[in-house]
């Protein structure tokens, strides 16, 4: 049967100091009922309506623009998400779905940081840009009990553009931090290793 969700959110968004700082924040509460839970019965994977859960947390985003063309951004989330009730038959098949345990595949914390600078070339008409970023995601639990790794990645991009074309060089996962993004009964899903390259694009 379909699951059901009631979601309550209170948020605020505004600018301070003549636009120097922009803040976007939200508190939320989610009641989730008739969750479709995965279990294994005699070696066969099954889905059953078997539980209810509650999630509460906070989202916060801050943008700082100290100078023309320069901006810094931070976006984060902290949450508490757990089962509130589960059918005893489901718990017997999968103890990880017992009341009070955390819902699978939901990290407790996440954070995105970025810095951007863009400028114009006088007399040429083109624009240049430099962007740096950092991504963090907390470990998360699989429905079978396996735990994924934390994700920590740095990236950097720089390039120029004019009219309908853009040329950029990039480095992704610069620290070559190897992580298992998903750890499950069918194996591991790793993140991409360090990638360095260049891209050229044209809009027609």
């Amino acid at each position: 049967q379909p699951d059901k969700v009631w979601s309550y959110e209170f948020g605020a968004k505004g600018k301070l100091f003549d636009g120097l700082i922009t803040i976007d924040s939200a508190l939320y509460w989610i009641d989730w009922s008739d969750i479709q839970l995965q279990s294994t019965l005699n070696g066969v994977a099954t889905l059953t309506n078997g539980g209810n859960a509650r999630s509460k947390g906070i989202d916060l985003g801050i943008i700082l623009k100290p100078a023309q063309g320069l901006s810094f951004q931070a976006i984060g989330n902290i949450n508490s998400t757990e089962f509130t009730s589960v059918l005893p038959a489901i718990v017997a098949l999968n103890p990880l779905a017992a009341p009070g345990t955390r819902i699978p595949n939901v990290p407790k914390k996440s954070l995105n940081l970025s810095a951007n600078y863009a400028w114009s070339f006088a007399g040429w008409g083109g624009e240049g840009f430099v962007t740096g970023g950092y991504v963090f995601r907390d470990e998360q639990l699989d429905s079978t009990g396996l735990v994924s790794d934390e994700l920590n990645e740095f990236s950097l991009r720089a390039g120029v553009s004019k009219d309908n074309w853009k040329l950029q060089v990039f480095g992704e996962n610069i620290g070559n931090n190897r992580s298992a993004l998903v750890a499950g009964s069918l194996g591991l899903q790793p993140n991409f290793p360090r990638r360095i390259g260049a891209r050229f694009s044209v809009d027609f």
Side-chain angles (χ1 to χ4, degrees):
Q1 298 295 321
D3 55 353
K4 304 177 185 68
V5 173
W6 282 95
S7 179
Y8 312 91
E9 182 174 313
F10 174 78
K13 183 176 182 179
K15 295 183 178 181
L16 304 173
F17 309 112
D18 294 327
L20 174 65
I21 301 175
T22 300
I23 298 177
D24 189 355
S25 60
L27 297 171
Y28 60 87
W29 180 291
I30 300 172
D31 284 321
W32 188 11
S33 59
D34 294 329
I35 301 174
Q36 299 175 7
L37 298 176
Q38 178 177 329
S39 302
T40 302
L41 181 61
N42 297 326
V44 178
T46 64
L47 281 176
T48 307
N49 294 103
N52 302 321
R54 177 170 296 134
S55 177
K56 49 189 176 182
I58 180 171
D59 291 323
L60 179 63
I62 300 176
I63 301 175
L64 175 64
K65 296 182 178 180
Q68 179 68 31
L70 177 63
S71 65
F72 301 92
Q73 184 173 30
I75 301 174
N77 169 267
I78 300 176
N79 67 82
S80 174
T81 304
E82 63 183 25
F83 291 106
T84 56
S85 63
V86 183
L87 293 177
I90 299 296
V91 177
L93 293 173
N94 186 359
L96 294 171
T101 59
R102 187 166 180 81
I103 294 179
N105 303 318
V106 180
K108 292 182 179 180
K109 299 182 292 292
S110 63
L111 177 66
N112 286 266
L113 302 176
S114 64
N116 306 277
Y117 182 60
W119 67 95
S120 299
F121 292 100
W124 179 52
E127 297 181 341
F129 65 91
V130 177
T131 300
Y134 167 72
V135 176
F136 167 80
R137 193 209 67 188
D138 204 359
E139 63 184 22
Q140 56 187 21
L141 182 71
D142 175 75
S143 60
T144 62
L146 297 177
V147 180
S148 72
D149 297 328
E150 291 183 351
L151 177 65
N152 288 278
E153 286 190 1
F154 292 90
S155 62
L156 183 65
R157 297 175 182 272
V160 294
S161 63
K162 183 180 181 181
D163 298 330
N164 63 335
W165 62 267
K166 177 188 293 185
L167 173 65
Q168 61 177 316
V169 294
F170 64 88
E172 298 174 351
N173 191 11
I174 294 175
N176 201 32
N177 187 344
R178 306 307 302 275
S179 303
L181 298 181
V182 176
S185 57
L186 298 180
L188 302 177
Q189 177 188 332
N191 65 332
F192 281 104
R194 180 192 297 119
R195 295 189 292 180
I196 298 176
R199 293 190 179 102
F200 179 77
S201 59
V202 179
D203 295 329
F204 295 100

